[in-house]
């Protein structure tokens, strides 16, 4: 096919970086195309060269990079001649007109891509100011229209907000609005939905498809989520270590994958059809050696209570400013956590599922004593007696710190860049005065081996590790004190599917070998289905359904749970997302989850309906509300 029929055509692209130790070849002889009005998905792991290719298309490669080959862009609004982006001066008027105006980009990390010093509206309308002649009021109207399209319930208010006032999902939507506001011919989307909940992800995918059809916009979609690929892509390009392994239309590639790498990626994705006891097949398995870890035995010692942690009616409210950066007036408090109760049984994994803003991370912070609730109680049932988590002090608090540990969502920011792995892993032992320096060094060696890393890595700093390796180090640090309960707050949301499979299998192996108990917080239902024994669904600050995993996945009762399950994209061409059903259920309008699916009014009485077999559903009892039955 000639380049004239392609909107974007990359031919024999090679990109290398000059380093102190020599040259690094990031992309090697890559060729791909994007057809007008079509979606080409570029699929691969972190470090495979996906984002480097997207940078070269935008003409924003770093100065240390050198590129050869061709990147031909044919603007449908231009003279019909293909322009080689690689040959354009990197800051010349031609590339500046194309970048942002005719080719838009959605960056993966919205917090570092948005300026904290400017409002969201100013940053989005800046593209219009640079590329399109408009008055200030026209730019505002157009920006507010785009903010509404990407799901902001109040675009006029969002225009004047700063990025730090928005959640991660909202910041990503602002980034999408910035990329689309000039109606580009080509959208380069670098992991556009990685940080989003499944319902918001479904909304964004539907929005991108609608805008693509309306504007005849093409898309280069960079992702590692094969479910998104199956629902979005017309063509698929698989890249591994900078080389294109497989390319073609989505139908034959998904139904008959030819390369072992793509087959491995598909087997690494958790899905709802997995059989009991079936393991994910990671591309590179981690050897787990936890048998001698700190001498901890998987078998319960003595008469350990069945329940490890009891949470009763915890409530946490926050006040918010009404408007203005320096306005001290505070609106009515919002209940982030509203009467949440659950028990975590010893040796089980309790999954806590919900969207951003539902209160699940606030719950985890309350359990870790990082946030003080307004009311309620949390009791830890240890082998040596009960501890009041919220009221503990001195010796009881030190005991509690060793018994409950946390694995954080971001493996980069949760590790100190100034400490070696040796120091990171030995710090908990030093703080709690465990053992001698020699025994601590031995314990750290056991920890690093338990999570599948070699002891020669102990003198390295976190920046020299991949994201998956950093997350393993975070897990090892959490295990250092031999805790009974691990709180895992989105531990794999920032990782590729292949690395995600490694971490999930590692957590399951450690649970089996050490007798650990998990509270596993996630918005990915397929991941929770793989990990959890029981699942609690949280919406609007309340737990609306709690049931054994098989029961909840097979026969959900609450409408919100059904909506969450319907919004999960499957890596299966025969099971596409039903956007019409999602829209009918309200999943594409997330501004009123609490009103739709929880209470409607905070004063409405609520009751828990026991459907048997541990299946609880929270239902409204006010007049006219339909009862929820199994």
């Amino acid at each position: 096919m000639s380049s004239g029929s392609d909107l974007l055509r990359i031919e024999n692209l090679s990109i290398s970086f000059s380093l102190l130790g020599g040259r690094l070849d990031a992309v090697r002889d890559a060729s791909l195309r994007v057809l007008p009005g079509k979606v080409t998905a570029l699929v691969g792991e972190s470090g495979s060269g996906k984002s480097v290719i997207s940078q070269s298309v935008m003409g924003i490669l770093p100065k240390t990079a050198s590129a050869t080959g061709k990147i031909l862009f044919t603007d449908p609004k231009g003279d019909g001649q293909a322009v080689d982006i690689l040959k354009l001066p990197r800051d010349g008027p031609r590339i500046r007109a194309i970048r942002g105006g005719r080719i838009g980009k959605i960056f993966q990390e919205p917090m570092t891509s948005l300026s904290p010093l400017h409002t969201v509206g100013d940053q989005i309308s800046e593209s219009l100011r640079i590329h399109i002649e408009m008055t200030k009021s026209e730019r505002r109207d157009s920006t507010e229209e785009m903010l509404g399209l990407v799901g902001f319930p109040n675009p006029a208010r969002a225009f004047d907000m700063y990025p730090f006032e928005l959640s991660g999902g909202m910041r990503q939507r602002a980034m999408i609005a910035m990329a689309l506001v000039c109606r580009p011919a080509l959208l380069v989307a670098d992991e556009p939905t990685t940080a989003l909940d499944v319902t918001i992800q479904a909304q964004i995918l539907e929005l991108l498809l609608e805008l693509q059809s309306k504007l005849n916009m093409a898309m280069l979609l960079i992702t590692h989520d094969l479910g998104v690929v199956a629902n979005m892509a017309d063509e698929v390009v698989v890249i591994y270590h900078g080389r294109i392994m497989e390319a073609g239309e989505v139908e034959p590639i998904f139904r008959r994958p030819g390369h072992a790498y793509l087959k491995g990626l598909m087997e690494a994705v958790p899905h709802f059809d997995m059989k009991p006891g079936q393991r994910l097949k990671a591309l590179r398995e981690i050897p787990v050696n936890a048998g001698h870890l700190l001498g901890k035995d998987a078998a319960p010692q003595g008469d350990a209570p069945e329940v490890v942690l009891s949470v009763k009616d915890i409530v946490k409210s926050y006040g918010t400013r009404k408007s203005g950066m320096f306005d001290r007036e505070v609106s009515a408090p919002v209940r982030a956590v509203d009467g949440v109760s659950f028990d975590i049984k010893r040796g089980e994994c309790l999954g806590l599922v919900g969207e951003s803003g539902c209160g699940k991370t606030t719950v985890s912070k309350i359990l870790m004593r990082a946030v003080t609730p307004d009311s309620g109680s949390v009791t830890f049932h240890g082998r040596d007696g009960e501890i009041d988590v919220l009221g503990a002090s001195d010796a009881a608090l030190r005991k509690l710190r060793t018994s409950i540990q946390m694995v954080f969502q971001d493996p980069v920011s949760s590790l100190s860049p100034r400490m070696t792995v040796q120091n990171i892993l030995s710090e908990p032992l030093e703080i709690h005065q465990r053992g001698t320096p020699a025994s601590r060094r031995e314990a750290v060696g056991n920890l690093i081996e338990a999570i599948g890393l070699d002891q020669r890595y102990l003198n390295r700093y976190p920046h020299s590790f991949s994201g998956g390796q950093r997350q393993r180090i975070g897990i090892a640090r959490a295990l250092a004190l031999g805790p009974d309960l691990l709180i895992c707050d989105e531990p794999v949301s920032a990782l590729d599917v292949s690395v995600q499979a490694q971490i999930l299998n590692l957590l399951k192996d450690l649970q089996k070998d050490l007798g650990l108990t998990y509270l596993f917080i996630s918005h990915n239902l397929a991941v929770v289905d793989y990990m959890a024994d029981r699942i609690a669904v949280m919406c609007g600050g309340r737990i609306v359904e709690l049931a054994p995993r098989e029961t909840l996945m097979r026969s959900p009762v609450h409408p919100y749970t059904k909506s969450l399950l319907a919004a999960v994209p499957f890596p299966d061409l025969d099971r596409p997302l039903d956007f019409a059903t999602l829209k009918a259920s309200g999943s594409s309008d997330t501004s009123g989850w609490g009103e739709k699916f929880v209470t409607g009014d905070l004063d409405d009485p609520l009751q828990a309906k026991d459907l048997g077999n541990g299946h609880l559903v929270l239902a409204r009892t006010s007049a006219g509300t339909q009862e929820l039955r199994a």
Side-chain angles (χ1 to χ4, degrees):
M1 183 177 289
S2 67
S3 62
S5 60
D6 302 330
L7 181 67
L8 181 74
R9 189 173 189 88
I10 297 176
E11 297 179 352
N12 307 117
L13 178 65
S14 295
I15 303 173
S16 61
F17 291 85
S18 299
L19 303 175
L20 290 176
R23 195 180 70 170
L24 173 67
D25 295 321
V27 179
R28 308 174 190 181
D29 202 30
S31 298
L32 60 97
R33 69 177 184 178
V34 182
L35 297 173
K38 301 293 184 181
V39 178
T40 296
L42 185 59
V43 181
E45 295 178 279
S46 291
S48 61
K50 308 187 303 292
S51 294
V52 175
I53 290 177
S54 75
Q55 290 175 347
S56 65
V57 171
M58 297 295 294
I60 55 173
L61 280 172
K63 293 181 180 180
T64 56
S66 60
T68 60
K70 293 181 179 179
I71 301 178
L72 303 173
F73 176 65
T74 307
D75 191 344
K77 289 188 176 181
D79 55 8
Q81 297 297 313
V83 178
D84 188 349
I85 292 176
L86 278 185
K87 292 184 178 178
L88 296 178
R90 58 183 299 132
D91 288 321
R94 193 84 181 273
I95 187 65
R96 290 170 69 89
I98 293 174
R99 184 195 302 134
R102 303 305 302 145
I103 304 179
K105 182 170 182 180
I106 303 170
F107 293 89
Q108 181 173 358
E109 179 46 65
M111 196 59 207
T112 56
S113 304
L114 294 172
S115 169
L117 303 178
H118 299 85
T119 64
V120 169
D122 284 344
Q123 295 183 65
I124 296 174
S125 60
E126 183 182 22
S127 298
L128 294 172
R129 181 175 58 80
I130 292 172
H131 296 287
I132 301 174
E133 289 189 9
M134 282 184 169
T135 65
K136 187 174 181 179
S137 61
E138 288 173 338
R139 287 199 299 269
R140 176 159 189 137
D141 291 342
S142 183
T143 301
E144 290 183 4
E145 178 189 0
M146 185 55 66
L147 286 170
L149 280 174
V150 297
F152 280 86
N154 189 341
R157 182 171 181 266
F159 187 99
D160 296 316
M161 296 178 75
Y162 287 84
F164 66 83
E165 296 182 274
L166 304 176
S167 68
M170 286 295 189
R171 285 195 292 262
Q172 189 71 302
R173 286 195 252 181
M175 176 61 62
I176 292 170
M178 187 186 303
L180 297 180
V181 72
C182 289
R183 301 331 198 242
L186 172 66
L187 177 65
V188 179
D190 189 358
E191 304 277 9
T193 60
T194 296
L196 303 181
D197 303 311
V198 286
T199 47
I200 301 173
Q201 173 177 268
Q203 176 189 5
I204 294 300
L205 295 180
E206 183 186 22
L207 168 69
L208 291 175
L209 287 173
E210 286 177 353
L211 287 173
Q212 177 204 357
S213 174
K214 178 181 176 182
L215 306 175
N216 194 30
M217 179 180 69
M219 198 185 316
L220 178 59
L221 177 64
I222 297 170
T223 185
H224 61 256
D225 190 333
L226 295 175
V228 171
V229 174
N231 281 276
M232 294 285 291
D234 299 295
E235 295 188 350
V236 181
V237 178
V238 181
I239 187 170
Y240 178 66
H241 282 192
R243 295 188 184 276
I244 304 297
M245 296 296 168
E246 201 164 357
E249 295 183 357
V250 66
E251 189 83 17
I253 284 186
F254 258 73
R255 298 198 187 281
R256 296 179 299 278
H259 199 275
Y261 177 65
L262 182 57
K263 293 179 182 177
L265 279 181
M266 289 183 168
E267 291 178 341
V269 180
H271 55 83
F272 296 129
D273 298 331
M274 297 183 72
K275 299 174 183 177
Q278 182 180 352
R279 281 173 67 89
L280 295 174
K281 294 183 179 179
L283 293 177
R284 291 167 291 277
E285 285 288 354
I286 301 175
V288 178
N289 182 20
H292 63 291
L293 186 60
L294 300 180
K296 189 172 172 64
D297 190 358
Q301 301 169 1
D303 297 326
E306 180 187 2
V307 175
V308 175
L309 196 73
S310 298
V311 180
K312 301 294 182 188
D313 298 319
I314 55 173
V315 175
K316 180 61 181 176
S317 301
Y318 290 100
T320 57
R321 288 184 296 104
K322 284 191 174 180
S323 63
M325 189 169 184
F326 301 104
D327 193 343
R328 290 293 180 184
E329 187 178 3
V330 177
S331 63
V334 175
R335 284 195 171 186
V337 179
D338 189 4
V340 166
S341 300
F342 59 85
D343 290 335
I344 305 177
K345 298 177 182 178
R346 191 172 300 277
E348 79 165 346
C349 177
L350 176 65
L352 186 59
V353 180
E355 294 181 291
S356 294
C358 73
K360 57 186 189 297
T361 296
T362 303
V363 168
S364 73
K365 290 179 178 179
I366 290 173
L367 301 186
M368 291 297 296
R369 287 275 299 253
V371 168
T372 303
D374 303 334
S375 62
S377 66
V378 181
T379 306
F380 175 75
H381 303 276
R383 304 180 193 276
D384 302 326
E386 295 185 355
I387 299 176
D388 179 3
V389 173
L390 303 180
S393 60
D394 301 332
L397 182 59
R398 289 180 67 85
K399 172 66 177 173
L400 191 67
R401 294 293 189 208
T402 65
S403 302
I404 305 177
Q405 288 288 307
M406 193 163 187
V407 178
F408 296 93
Q409 178 175 359
D410 187 354
V412 179
S413 61
S414 60
L415 299 177
S416 171
R418 297 178 178 85
M419 296 173 68
T420 64
V421 174
Q422 171 81 43
N423 295 334
I424 288 171
L425 297 185
S426 63
E427 185 182 33
L429 301 171
E430 293 168 1
I431 289 174
H432 290 274
Q433 300 174 352
R434 292 281 183 90
T436 64
S439 66
R440 286 197 287 266
R441 283 194 297 272
E442 182 183 355
V444 167
N446 291 339
L447 281 167
I448 197 82
E449 288 182 356
I451 50 102
L453 292 177
D454 196 275
Q455 291 198 29
R456 67 176 186 271
Y457 294 150
L458 286 173
N459 292 323
R460 294 187 183 180
Y461 289 86
H463 68 80
S464 62
F465 294 93
S466 68
Q469 289 173 326
R470 280 193 288 249
Q471 192 62 293
R472 283 192 258 164
I473 293 167
I475 293 171
R477 179 179 60 183
L479 293 174
L481 296 170
D484 291 311
L485 173 63
L486 272 190
I487 299 175
C488 303
D489 187 5
E490 303 270 14
V492 295
S493 64
L495 306 177
D496 295 324
V497 287
S498 55
V499 182
Q500 173 181 283
Q502 286 182 347
I503 299 299
L504 294 178
N505 285 343
L506 172 65
L507 288 171
K508 294 202 87 164
D509 291 340
L510 290 171
Q511 182 184 23
K512 177 183 176 182
D513 294 341
L514 302 178
L516 293 172
T517 305
Y518 292 147
L519 174 61
F520 194 94
I521 299 171
S522 180
H523 63 256
N524 189 326
L525 279 164
V527 169
V528 172
D529 179 47
Y530 180 66
M531 288 294 299
D533 301 297
R534 293 187 301 143
I535 298 175
V537 181
M538 198 165 179
C539 172
R542 293 179 174 175
I543 291 179
V544 296
E545 190 160 3
L546 175 62
R549 176 186 59 82
E550 302 87 349
T551 305
L552 188 126
M553 292 296 175
R554 185 175 62 251
S555 54
V557 175
H558 201 280
Y560 179 66
T561 309
K562 294 178 181 178
S563 296
L564 281 180
L565 288 168
V568 176
F570 281 84
D572 185 348
L573 297 177
D574 297 323
R575 301 172 70 177
L577 283 173
D578 187 351
F579 292 116
T581 301
L582 288 170
K583 187 173 289 187
S585 70
S587 291
S588 58
D589 176 15
T590 59
S591 60
W593 280 125
E595 290 79 5
K596 286 191 182 93
F597 290 148
V598 184
T599 64
D601 187 288
L602 287 176
D603 296 327
D604 275 353
L606 292 159
Q607 69 178 17
K609 292 188 178 298
D610 189 347
L611 304 178
N613 193 27
H615 193 167
L616 298 175
V617 180
L618 205 62
R620 276 173 33 185
T621 59
S622 54
T625 301
Q626 180 182 3
E627 283 196 0
L628 305 174
R629 298 183 182 276

